[in-house]
Amino acid sequence: MLSELRVYEFLQEVAGPEAAPGGGTAAALAGAQGAALISMVCRLTLGRKKYAEAAAEMAAALERAETLRQELIELMDRDASAYDGVMAAYKLPKETPQEQAARQAAIQQGLQQAARVPLETLAACVETLELAPAVLARGNPNVISDGGAGVLSAHAGMMAALLNVVINLNAITDALFVATARSEMEALRARGDAARATAWAAVCTHLGL
Amino acid sequence: MLSELRVYEFLQEVAGPEAAPGGGTAAALAGAQGAALISMVCRLTLGRKKYAEAAAEMAAALERAETLRQELIELMDRDASAYDGVMAAYKLPKETPQEQAARQAAIQQGLQQAARVPLETLAACVETLELAPAVLARGNPNVISDGGAGVLSAHAGMMAALLNVVINLNAITDALFVATARSEMEALRARGDAARATAWAAVCTHLGL
């Protein structure tokens, strides 16, 4: 698993001359880092008398952020595998018309999977972003810059995932699949942008930005 | 070193109940991931006949991106250490007036270092972003979504670093230090925003966004 690599090794793999792990995996890591920072703010709020009223809310957000981090860590690998699936399909034989048809079908199937996986990453990043407004409004303000960094990271993950959805959709011939995925993607993006705007306003107010 | 942790372990450390590693370290990792993705695009461009004209430019960008990645990996640790320095100063004795004065001076010195380090992270993220317009315009367009993910990651790193500069500047009493750092920060941010806008336009044009 990619998440079992050391951080510097993982970055070497990304930087290396193979297309995977690439942007889709990076998107998932950005989202996971966002979720980790939200978890940290929750943990530094819980158990402090001053923020006792927010305890139940923080505990619930923490539990969700931990689950999302795990999902996003798994998506790092799932994205690289989906890419490998497309590449394997491209390498299928294409001598006979039957082989050509089978290869095209396999490529299209691979591309659909390679669009679905970053769409899941996108959704998990959006869910992470949606935890942020409450956590930043009622969490420990001493770590608001960390929460803000989490928002930036999760939003970058969302947008990087979106690029990976789009580049695959652009090569998919099934118009219904494309339309459905695109509409799901846009709805998620609107939710993520809205959560980011609310959370970011809290960061700016608190830090005087 | 934090970069020697496995990716999932690093994220656990971020999510944990200690304030460091936190947003400043996360900013450096986001920047390092951005630099890694720029390196990948350069590597997938170099040595291909189709992009032979861009070879010298890609080789130069690759060399710079590799150096920036290394710097940003080091900044992950340097940020956590700077935070620990501030915390150590807060724990100094404060019984006598002399102790109080020495503690205040140590806190201020720690805060200045804790502002300087994310300012370096910010600068390295901006330099990463400034590689992107040329790499995305003349690099292999098949991996433009990866390059775009790199831009998003480096820009999120820049903004997360900025939050960590600001939260420390807000507690620093030396007005000249604050004014100088703030003006440096704003100038860097303007450069980073401009590079991001140019690079992002190339991504959007290519992907039909």
Side-chain angles (χ1 to χ4, degrees):
Chain A
M1 279 183 65
L2 289 166
S3 67
E4 284 172 4
L5 294 177
R6 297 178 194 280
V7 172
Y8 78 90
E9 288 171 338
F10 169 75
L11 293 172
Q12 258 166 12
E13 286 293 312
V14 171
E18 304 293 330
T25 295
L29 176 55
Q33 183 161 257
L37 286 158
I38 297 292
S39 285
M40 174 184 144
V41 176
C42 294
R43 287 202 167 93
L44 285 162
T45 304
L46 281 164
R48 310 210 172 184
K49 273 190 191 159
K50 204 170 164 187
Y51 315 115
E53 279 189 18
E57 187 173 43
M58 292 298 141
L62 174 58
E63 195 183 336
R64 189 72 194 115
E66 296 283 286
T67 305
L68 286 165
R69 171 157 56 95
Q70 196 48 51
E71 276 180 38
L72 285 157
I73 282 174
E74 287 162 18
L75 281 159
M76 290 171 64
D77 278 291
R78 291 179 55 209
D79 195 277
S81 303
Y83 177 85
D84 291 341
V86 177
M87 287 302 105
Y90 274 110
K91 285 177 189 154
L92 288 175
K94 48 179 177 177
E95 298 297 308
T96 68
Q98 288 86 339
E99 283 178 354
Q100 285 162 20
R103 177 172 172 272
Q104 277 309 322
I107 290 170
Q108 286 297 316
Q109 216 162 22
L111 287 168
Q112 289 194 8
Q113 181 63 5
R116 265 189 222 107
V117 173
L119 202 50
E120 282 189 55
T121 303
L122 204 165
C125 288
V126 170
E127 287 195 59
T128 302
L129 285 166
E130 288 181 333
L131 296 173
V135 170
L136 293 194
R138 287 176 292 281
N140 184 341
N142 297 325
V143 285
I144 199 157
S145 63
D146 303 288
V151 169
L152 292 162
S153 195
H155 194 266
M158 172 185 111
M159 289 304 294
L162 183 141
L163 296 183
N164 280 272
V165 175
V166 169
I167 202 169
N168 287 298
L169 290 185
N170 285 352
I172 292 174
T173 52
D174 179 338
L176 179 60
F177 180 91
V178 172
T180 308
R182 201 172 274 275
S183 118
E184 193 182 332
M185 179 186 90
E186 292 300 349
L188 284 165
R189 181 190 184 164
R191 280 171 49 192
D193 283 344
R196 186 207 140 115
T198 308
W200 188 250
V203 174
C204 291
T205 303
H206 190 81
L207 294 178
L209 273 178
Chain B
M1 279 184 65
L2 288 166
S3 66
E4 283 172 4
L5 294 177
R6 295 178 194 279
V7 171
Y8 78 90
E9 289 171 337
F10 169 75
L11 293 172
Q12 259 166 14
E13 286 293 312
V14 172
E18 305 293 332
T25 295
L29 176 54
Q33 183 162 254
L37 286 158
I38 297 291
S39 285
M40 173 184 144
V41 177
C42 294
R43 286 201 167 93
L44 285 161
T45 304
L46 281 164
R48 309 208 174 185
K49 272 190 192 159
K50 204 170 164 185
Y51 314 115
E53 278 188 19
E57 187 173 42
M58 292 299 141
L62 173 58
E63 194 183 336
R64 189 73 194 115
E66 295 284 286
T67 304
L68 287 165
R69 171 156 56 94
Q70 195 48 49
E71 276 180 37
L72 285 157
I73 283 175
E74 287 162 19
L75 281 159
M76 290 172 64
D77 278 290
R78 291 180 55 209
D79 195 276
S81 303
Y83 177 84
D84 292 341
V86 177
M87 288 301 105
Y90 273 110
K91 285 176 190 155
L92 288 175
K94 49 178 176 177
E95 298 298 308
T96 68
Q98 289 86 340
E99 284 178 354
Q100 285 163 21
R103 177 172 172 273
Q104 277 309 323
I107 290 171
Q108 286 296 317
Q109 215 162 24
L111 286 168
Q112 289 194 7
Q113 182 63 5
R116 263 187 224 110
V117 173
L119 202 50
E120 284 189 53
T121 304
L122 203 165
C125 288
V126 170
E127 287 196 57
T128 303
L129 285 166
E130 288 182 333
L131 296 174
V135 171
L136 294 194
R138 286 176 291 282
N140 184 339
N142 297 324
V143 285
I144 199 157
S145 64
D146 303 287
V151 169
L152 292 161
S153 195
H155 194 266
M158 172 184 110
M159 290 304 294
L162 184 140
L163 296 182
N164 280 272
V165 175
V166 169
I167 202 169
N168 287 298
L169 290 185
N170 286 351
I172 292 174
T173 52
D174 179 338
L176 180 60
F177 180 92
V178 172
T180 308
R182 202 171 275 275
S183 120
E184 193 181 335
M185 179 186 90
E186 292 300 349
L188 285 166
R189 181 189 185 167
R191 280 171 49 191
D193 283 344
R196 185 207 141 116
T198 308
W200 188 249
V203 174
C204 291
T205 303
H206 189 82
L207 294 178
L209 274 177

